[in-house]
Amino acid sequence: MEETQNIDVTKNPEAEDAIESTKQKQSEEVEHHCDEQQKQSQEEDELRKLLLSDIEELPLSPPSATQLNFVSYFITDFTKPGHDHYIYRHANGLCVIGLAPTHRAFKDQGGITNIDFNVGKSDRSVLKVSGKRKKNAMRSESNTALCKVSTANDSYIVRCCVKGSLLEVNERLMKQPQLLNSSADREGYIAIIMPRPADWTKNKESLITLEEYKEKKQDILLEPYFSDIPHLRRLALMSDLSSRIVSQIEYYFRRIRAMTDDIHLILRSMGSSTTVEVQVNS
Amino acid sequence: MSDESKPAPGGLLNGLETQKTRRVNEAARSLHPSAVKDLLSLGVCERCILRLVTVTATFDSDLATVSSSTLRGWLGSGVEEAASPEPSICIVCLGVLQFVFSDAKQTLVKSDHVAWITDLVKQQGHEFDSFVLEVSLPSTISENERAVLLYLKGKYSDEAWLQSEKVSVKDALKVLVLDPLRASLGAKSDSSSFHIRLTYSQASDEAQGLSETKHERKKRKTDEENGSNCMSENPFKKVSEPCILSVHCNKMPIFFGGRYFKYSRNVSQSRWIIDDERMGEASVEEIIGGSILPACLGDSYKFHAAGREDIDVRMLGSGRPFLIEVQNSRKCPSQQSLTEIEEKINNSEKKLVGVKDLKFIGSECWAMMREGEAEKQKQYAALVWISRPLEEEDCNSVSSMKELKILQKTPIRVLHRRSQLERERTIHWMKVEKIKGNAHYFLLHLCTQAGTYIKEFVHGDLGRTTPSMGSILGCRAEIIQLDVTDVKMGDS
C-alpha cells in the first residue's frame, strides 16, 4: 500500500489524490459494511430474544398434538365382546378410528401380524377420494366393516363405529402391521371418517369418554400381556400418566433392554451363566 | 330574427360563440322542412330533430351554446305552434336532451342542470382534479328512436339524410354536458380513476310509454322480414313524466402496501367469526385496514397478503408483504399521514401487530404480490420437544440434511376443507439450536419451500408426513410453538 503511495507522489500528484480518495472511499465502504453487519447481528439478536421470550418453564412432557386438537372417545365391545375402539374427533369434525389398548387382538401372543382392507363389498384401500367435496367417498354406517386384523390364532373384523364418509384408510399398515402393536393410538390409526353433524350427534350417544373407559376396563388394563409395549401404555392410562411420559419411559426401557443384552454378551464371554432381568412393576 | 346572430361587442370569445351559433343556424335551416314540421308536431324535441334529420353528424359540440327556444325558432319558420310556456317532453329522448328531469323524490328540477349535477357531485365529498363521465339511459329511448326513424323512412324514403349515421342520445348528452361540467367542477375530463355516473331512469308509470312489448317486438321483426312496416298502427303516445336523474360518484380502488409483523399468538390474519363469536383477540386485517380506511374516507377495504400464518404463529423477522385495497376513497392520504398511521400501530399499547414501509402503491401492486410466488422460501423457528434427550450427533445429522424432500398428505386439521392429496415439498436446510438446561427441547430453524406444513413435519401427523422430525430422530416429537422468521420475496 505505502509503496504505491510513494511512487505516485513522485510521478503524478493528481493520481495520488485520486488514489487517496478511493482509499478513503474503500475504508468508508468497509466501515459501512461493518455497520451493516452490526445492524444485521443486532436485528438477529432482537429476533432471538423474541423467539425465546415465551420459554419460561418448559414442562417435562407437554401435551401432544393429538391431545390438544382431538377429543378422545371410546366404544367398547362393539358388536362383539372385547372389540374396543377409540374415536379421536378433531375440532373440524373429522374422526380418526383405531384399536383401543384393550382390544382382544392384543391379547394373542405375537400381537397383530396382518391387516386386510378387502372386506365387505370392496377393497377399502383402493378408494380414492377427490376434491374438496370429497366425491367418491364410501358412505359407511357404524357397523360397516372397515378391515380385518389377524393374529397368530385368530382374526377380527374392525368396524367403522361412526356413520359418515370414509375419507382415508391407513395403507401403511399393510406393509407395516406392527405399527398396530407399537403405536395403535398414533401411527397405527386405521381410518379417517367424516360424519355429518346430524349423524355425529346421534352417534355420540353410544360413545364413552376416556374416564369412563378407564373405569370400565380397569381389570383388563392391569392384566399383563405378552408384548411389553402396549402393557406400558395401558399402565400409563391407569396411572394417569400423560402418554407422552410413556413414550419417554419406552425409550429408556428400550435402552435398558439393549444394555442388558450387552451385559449378557459380556457375561457369556466371561463364561458365566448369570442372567439379568428387568421387571416393570405397576 | 334572434340576437345571437349579430356579433356581440368585444372579445374573440364572443366571436367564436357567434361563429358556432351561425353554424348551428345554417344547419338548422338546411334541414328538410316537412320532415322537421312532421317531427315537431309529433312531439320530438329540437335537439333530437337536429340529430335525426341532419346529414353531417359532426357539429353537435356546437349545439351546447344554443338554447332550446332559439333552436326552435330557427327550425320552425312558419310552424303554427303557439309558443307553449313549457314545451312537451320529447317522445324520443324523454326529456334527456332538453335537460328536463326530476330528482329522486320525483319532483321536477327547476334549477340549471349543470349546477344541480355539480352540487350532487360535491356533496359526495371526493377530492379530484379529473373525471370520467358515464351516462346510463333507459332502454326505451333507443326503441323510441328506432320507431321514429322507421316512421321517417316510411314517409321520406331514400332521402340522403336518412341514410347517414345518427349521433346517439347518449353521445349527444355527453357532448352537451361535458364542457359546462368541466368548467363548473374545475376539473379535466381525460382518463381518470374518478367516475361520475348520470343515471336516468323512467318514472314507473311510464315504463310502458312508447316502447314495444316483447310480443310486439317479435311481431315487428317478423313483419320486417316479410317486408312490411307496421309502425303506422301505433300512434306515438305522449310522454307525461320526465326521467329521474341520479348522480353517483365512484373512485376506482387505491392500494397501500407494506410489510406486517404479528407479535401475538392470539391474533388471526383476517377477521374470523364463527357463530357470531370472534376467534382470537383481534385480526391483522382489522388493525391495519381499520386505521387506513378513515384516513381515506373510503367505503370499505380489502386485505390481501402474500401467504398466511395460523392464529398461534407469530410473524417476525422481515415481515410479510400485504396490500390494502380501499374502495371509493374520497381522498388520498399523504406519505406523512401514512407514516403517522404506521407509527400509531407500532406504538399501540398492546403491541399485537407491527407495520413497516407503509406506502401508496400504484398499478404494480399485483405484480408485487405475485413476484417470486412459486420460488418463495420461508424461514421458521420452531420450539420442538422430543421424547428422548438430544444428542450431539442429532444436531449434526439434522444440519447435514440439505434439500430434504418430504411427502405430506393433507393434514387432518385442514382435510375437511381441502382435497386429499399427497404433496411433495422441500426442506432447504435445518439447524438445531440447543436450549440451555433442557435436553428434551430445542429450537429448530428451518428454511422450506412455500406451502409446507411445518407443524405436521415436526409431529408427523399420525405418520402421514414422511419423513418427519420424529422419524428422523427416531423418537416422538411435538411442536410447542412456531414463528415465521422470514418471507423471502423475489429481490427484497
Side-chain angles (χ1 to χ4, degrees):
Chain A
M1 273 292 169
E2 284 158 58
E3 291 113 56
T4 38
Q5 237 188 329
N6 288 335
I7 295 171
D8 281 347
V9 161
T10 47
K11 284 209 171 148
N12 196 343
E14 275 176 4
E16 186 219 55
D17 281 346
I19 290 179
E20 266 290 297
S21 57
T22 44
K23 262 185 64 184
Q24 223 185 10
K25 219 171 155 195
Q26 265 177 8
S27 60
E28 265 176 25
E29 269 176 21
V30 169
E31 240 183 59
H32 183 62
H33 189 62
C34 272
D35 275 345
E36 261 196 33
Q37 274 189 332
Q38 247 187 354
K39 193 169 161 213
Q40 234 186 349
S41 59
Q42 240 184 351
E43 280 178 2
E44 279 174 18
D45 279 339
E46 278 181 27
L47 179 62
R48 174 162 296 122
K49 262 189 277 177
L50 267 175
L51 288 175
L52 298 172
S53 60
D54 295 338
I55 304 177
E56 322 103 14
E57 298 246 334
L58 295 171
L60 187 60
S61 191
S64 73
T66 322
Q67 280 176 308
L68 283 175
N69 301 323
F70 293 84
V71 178
S72 308
Y73 295 97
F74 292 83
I75 192 163
T76 53
D77 307 314
F78 188 58
T79 69
K80 276 198 188 146
H83 281 56
D84 304 333
H85 310 87
Y86 66 74
I87 294 125
Y88 295 154
R89 180 171 155 92
H90 195 275
N92 61 21
L94 263 47
C95 297
V96 178
I97 316 289
L99 300 177
T102 53
H103 196 281
R104 278 182 67 184
F106 294 123
K107 269 199 206 163
D108 296 353
Q109 187 163 23
I112 298 177
T113 52
N114 190 43
I115 185 168
D116 187 9
F117 283 105
N118 197 355
V119 294
K121 295 198 186 136
S122 58
D123 190 347
R124 315 307 189 211
S125 64
V126 299
L127 57 82
K128 280 287 164 270
V129 175
S130 62
K132 283 190 206 177
R133 301 270 172 245
K134 315 296 184 273
K135 282 196 296 200
N136 305 336
M138 183 182 99
R139 307 220 107 248
S140 67
E141 297 288 327
S142 53
N143 57 7
T144 312
L146 198 46
C147 65
K148 188 168 72 176
V149 294
S150 321
T151 60
N153 308 332
D154 220 337
S155 65
Y156 309 87
I157 300 275
V158 179
R159 303 195 182 266
C160 291
C161 309
V162 176
K163 177 176 172 187
S165 310
L166 181 62
L167 295 189
E168 172 181 308
V169 298
N170 190 357
E171 325 138 325
R172 284 169 293 282
L173 292 177
M174 301 202 301
K175 294 225 184 89
Q176 301 174 282
Q178 67 272 22
L179 284 174
L180 283 161
N181 297 321
S182 60
S183 43
D185 65 336
R186 278 179 56 128
E187 285 81 14
Y189 78 93
I190 298 194
I192 302 181
I193 295 184
M194 184 166 77
R196 280 209 217 114
D199 292 334
W200 170 255
T201 335
K202 251 193 287 177
N203 235 137
K204 207 167 140 192
E205 290 161 24
S206 42
L207 305 177
I208 56 176
T209 64
L210 177 58
E211 292 305 321
E212 291 165 345
Y213 170 73
K214 278 202 259 188
E215 252 205 64
K216 189 169 176 194
K217 295 281 168 165
Q218 238 184 78
D219 310 322
I220 308 182
L221 283 169
L222 289 173
E223 256 179 67
Y225 280 17
F226 285 104
S227 166
D228 291 309
I229 305 297
H231 178 58
L232 280 174
R233 185 152 297 123
R234 283 176 285 115
L235 273 181
L237 267 180
M238 286 316 296
S239 51
D240 268 341
L241 285 176
S242 121
S243 65
R244 299 317 109 220
I245 291 216
V246 171
S247 53
Q248 276 173 304
I249 295 175
E250 272 173 18
Y251 168 74
Y252 289 109
F253 190 67
R254 255 185 243 121
R255 286 269 294 265
I256 293 171
R257 273 263 271 271
M259 279 196 274
T260 56
D261 288 342
D262 290 342
I263 295 174
H264 275 145
L265 265 171
I266 297 171
L267 287 172
R268 298 291 152 269
S269 69
M270 281 167 49
S272 160
S273 54
T274 319
T275 52
V276 178
E277 240 181 57
V278 176
Q279 258 191 338
V280 175
N281 296 321
S282 52
Chain B
M1 174 192 287
S2 51
D3 291 323
E4 283 98 66
S5 55
K6 289 202 201 109
L12 182 62
L13 223 61
N14 285 340
L16 269 173
E17 290 287 304
T18 45
Q19 248 195 334
K20 285 187 193 169
T21 53
R22 205 179 312 136
R23 241 181 286 152
V24 178
N25 195 341
E26 280 168 17
R29 289 187 203 284
S30 69
L31 298 180
H32 196 285
S34 48
V36 169
K37 207 155 106 179
D38 233 334
L39 292 178
L40 275 175
S41 62
L42 279 177
V44 180
C45 74
E46 304 78 18
R47 294 195 174 102
C48 280
I49 295 179
L50 214 54
R51 250 187 343 108
L52 296 174
V53 188
T54 186
V55 180
T56 50
T58 50
F59 75 93
D60 254 285
S61 53
D62 300 336
L63 251 186
T65 58
V66 178
S67 73
S68 249
S69 45
T70 322
L71 199 50
R72 182 170 271 268
W74 293 342
L75 283 175
S77 32
V79 172
E80 24 46 73
E81 46 91 20
S84 36
E86 239 174 69
S88 55
I89 299 178
C90 173
I91 58 166
V92 174
C93 67
L94 303 177
V96 170
L97 293 183
Q98 296 168 292
F99 305 130
V100 173
F101 53 85
S102 339
D103 61 14
K105 303 200 194 104
Q106 293 205 296
T107 336
L108 187 67
V109 172
K110 302 259 168 72
S111 47
D112 167 55
H113 62 284
V114 175
W116 190 80
I117 295 175
T118 307
D119 252 346
L120 281 176
V121 168
K122 291 220 168 115
Q123 267 175 34
Q124 298 189 35
H126 288 79
E127 277 178 11
F128 60 96
D129 55 8
S130 65
F131 67 94
V132 167
L133 186 65
E134 292 170 357
V135 171
S136 166
L137 301 173
S139 51
T140 54
I141 288 186
S142 49
E143 285 162 20
N144 297 346
E145 180 152 318
R146 197 165 359 126
V148 168
L149 279 174
L150 219 52
Y151 165 79
L152 288 176
K153 274 205 182 112
K155 271 189 108 175
Y156 308 96
S157 53
D158 297 336
E159 293 272 354
W161 47 265
L162 263 178
Q163 317 299 342
S164 61
E165 184 89 14
K166 306 297 170 202
V167 174
S168 69
V169 177
K170 197 185 273 198
D171 291 336
L173 179 68
K174 274 194 185 168
V175 144
L176 289 172
V177 148
L178 206 53
D179 278 340
L181 252 189
R182 242 193 293 219
S184 171
L185 291 170
K188 301 181 291 217
S189 73
D190 42 25
S191 76
S192 166
S193 54
F194 178 62
H195 293 225
I196 299 179
R197 172 173 278 264
L198 305 178
T199 307
Y200 287 87
S201 46
Q202 279 181 288
S204 40
D205 44 340
E206 284 289 299
Q208 305 307 324
L210 191 57
S211 62
E212 308 164 303
T213 58
K214 241 191 195 159
H215 177 74
E216 286 169 351
R217 202 176 304 148
K218 273 199 189 141
K219 186 161 177 275
R220 175 176 63 79
K221 276 216 165 112
T222 46
D223 279 349
E224 268 179 33
E225 282 162 24
N226 299 339
S228 72
N229 288 329
C230 65
M231 270 335 284
S232 41
E233 292 165 12
N234 271 331
F236 296 108
K237 283 186 276 201
K238 260 188 155 9
V239 177
S240 54
E241 292 284 320
C243 293
I244 301 171
L245 171 60
S246 62
V247 177
H248 183 70
C249 303
N250 186 52
K251 168 104 178 155
M252 294 284 109
I254 56 174
F255 294 86
F256 300 93
R259 283 182 177 242
Y260 77 82
F261 304 90
K262 185 159 90 79
Y263 299 118
S264 159
R265 293 193 190 280
N266 198 18
V267 169
S268 55
Q269 195 193 62
S270 47
R271 229 175 85 191
W272 190 7
I273 299 196
I274 295 182
D275 296 335
D276 291 338
E277 233 187 273
R278 171 195 288 281
M279 307 297 284
E281 199 181 322
S283 70
V284 177
E285 170 184 71
E286 285 167 300
I287 291 177
I288 301 181
S291 309
I292 292 184
L293 189 67
C296 297
L297 296 175
D299 285 346
S300 62
Y301 65 86
K302 280 192 197 157
F303 179 82
H304 310 275
R308 56 199 164 152
E309 62 275 334
D310 287 345
I311 187 171
D312 58 348
V313 173
R314 290 186 302 184
M315 179 72 229
L316 309 171
S318 46
R320 187 186 294 279
F322 72 89
L323 279 181
I324 295 268
E325 179 186 333
V326 181
Q327 259 79 9
N328 205 10
S329 55
R330 304 304 196 279
K331 69 174 187 155
C332 190
S334 61
Q335 185 56 51
Q336 170 81 357
S337 25
L338 286 178
T339 316
E340 281 171 22
I341 291 174
E342 188 178 314
E343 277 171 18
K344 193 176 113 195
I345 296 176
N346 290 337
N347 297 333
S348 74
E349 202 189 304
K350 277 200 181 160
K351 283 235 194 301
L352 301 171
V353 169
V355 178
K356 184 173 90 161
D357 292 343
L358 184 63
K359 57 180 189 274
F360 180 81
I361 307 268
S363 49
E364 72 271 16
C365 52
W366 295 117
M368 196 183 92
M369 285 279 119
R370 297 278 165 269
E371 203 175 71
E373 197 168 56
E375 308 100 56
K376 255 193 287 205
Q377 291 188 353
K378 312 271 190 67
Q379 224 170 293
Y380 301 87
L383 182 60
V384 178
W385 171 88
I386 46 172
S387 56
R388 62 161 174 79
L390 186 71
E391 278 146 39
E392 196 56 47
E393 56 173 76
D394 296 324
C395 302
N396 297 334
S397 61
V398 164
S399 318
S400 65
M401 293 184 166
K402 303 282 179 210
E403 308 300 320
L404 174 69
K405 288 226 184 300
I406 66 173
L407 274 175
Q408 297 196 291
K409 284 211 165 121
T410 311
I412 297 180
R413 64 186 166 101
V414 298
L415 187 53
H416 66 294
R417 59 178 165 83
R418 296 199 63 182
S419 319
Q420 170 79 284
L421 274 184
E422 194 154 38
R423 298 175 176 88
E424 192 189 88
R425 292 284 180 263
T426 312
I427 313 278
H428 297 293
W429 54 258
M430 291 191 277
K431 202 184 85 173
V432 169
E433 189 184 314
K434 292 195 243 195
I435 293 183
K436 266 198 274 225
N438 202 321
H440 281 277
Y441 288 86
F442 62 90
L443 212 56
L444 178 68
H445 296 271
L446 60 162
C447 179
T448 72
Q449 185 183 356
T452 316
Y453 289 93
I454 306 297
K455 292 180 183 170
E456 276 67 21
F457 169 64
V458 173
H459 63 62
D461 194 28
L462 301 186
R464 298 164 80 253
T465 294
T466 49
S468 68
M469 217 51 226
S471 66
I472 293 173
L473 296 177
C475 61
R476 295 273 180 98
E478 298 290 345
I479 183 165
I480 310 302
Q481 65 184 39
L482 180 62
D483 295 320
V484 188
T485 54
D486 200 4
V487 174
K488 296 198 210 298
M489 291 279 284
D491 53 359
S492 52

